[in-house]
Amino acid sequence: MTVDDVDVCAIEKTIARAVVKRTALPPYEELCELHEALVKHIKALMPLAEKLVGRLNRGTVDWYQKRSRLDLIPHELRQGLGSGLLSADWHVRSLGYTCQFLLDNSGVTSDARSMT
C-alpha cells in the first residue's frame, strides 16, 4: 500500500467513533465492527509509519519513543477484545489512539501534524 492508496477520511471517521466519550457502552456487535475496521487500518498504516520513523535519526529520543510504540502494536493487536463489554470498549478505544498515532506518523496527512 502506498500513501496515495490510504483513505484518510475513512480512517479519521473510524478513529472518531472509537475514541468518542460515551455515556453508555455500545452494543458488542458495534465494538466488533470497530475492532475489525481499526485492525484493517492499522495493518495498512503500519508499514508506512515504520518507513517514516525509520528515516529519523536513530538514537534520538523522538526515534526511540516512536520505534518503541511501533514495536508494541503487534502485541496490542493480538490481545483481542477481551471477555466482556468493558474490556472490548477499552481495547477499541486503545486501538483508536494507536491508529491515530500511525496516521500522524505515516506521511499520509498533508497538514503539519505529520510526525507528531
Side-chain angles (χ1 to χ4, degrees):
M1 179 169 276
T2 67
V3 171
D4 296 331
D5 297 330
V6 176
D7 185 351
V8 176
C9 185
I11 293 171
E12 287 175 338
K13 286 179 182 178
T14 304
I15 292 169
R17 287 180 54 215
V19 301
V20 68
K21 302 265 191 235
R22 297 178 174 91
T23 57
L25 294 174
Y28 191 77
E29 295 76 25
E30 182 180 332
L31 293 173
C32 289
E33 173 194 320
L34 272 170
H35 179 265
E36 185 178 320
L38 286 164
V39 168
K40 177 184 161 198
H41 294 319
I42 287 169
K43 287 182 177 181
L45 292 171
M46 188 78 170
L48 300 172
E50 285 180 324
K51 183 177 179 181
L52 207 58
V53 169
R55 293 182 190 157
L56 296 172
N57 290 331
R58 291 179 186 257
T60 62
V61 172
D62 194 35
W63 174 83
Y64 180 78
Q65 288 174 335
K66 291 177 183 194
R67 186 67 251 172
S68 297
R69 178 91 187 260
L70 287 172
D71 290 342
L72 289 174
I73 292 172
H75 303 290
E76 183 180 14
L77 291 176
R78 283 193 297 267
Q79 286 179 357
L81 288 176
S83 60
L85 191 55
L86 192 58
S87 65
D89 181 61
W90 180 88
H91 188 65
V92 164
R93 184 178 309 278
S94 177
L95 287 177
Y97 289 118
T98 296
C99 197
Q100 184 66 60
F101 166 80
L102 290 172
L103 184 61
D104 290 344
N105 290 282
S106 65
V108 298
T109 54
S110 60
D111 58 3
R113 295 181 317 146
S114 182
M115 295 301 294
T116 58

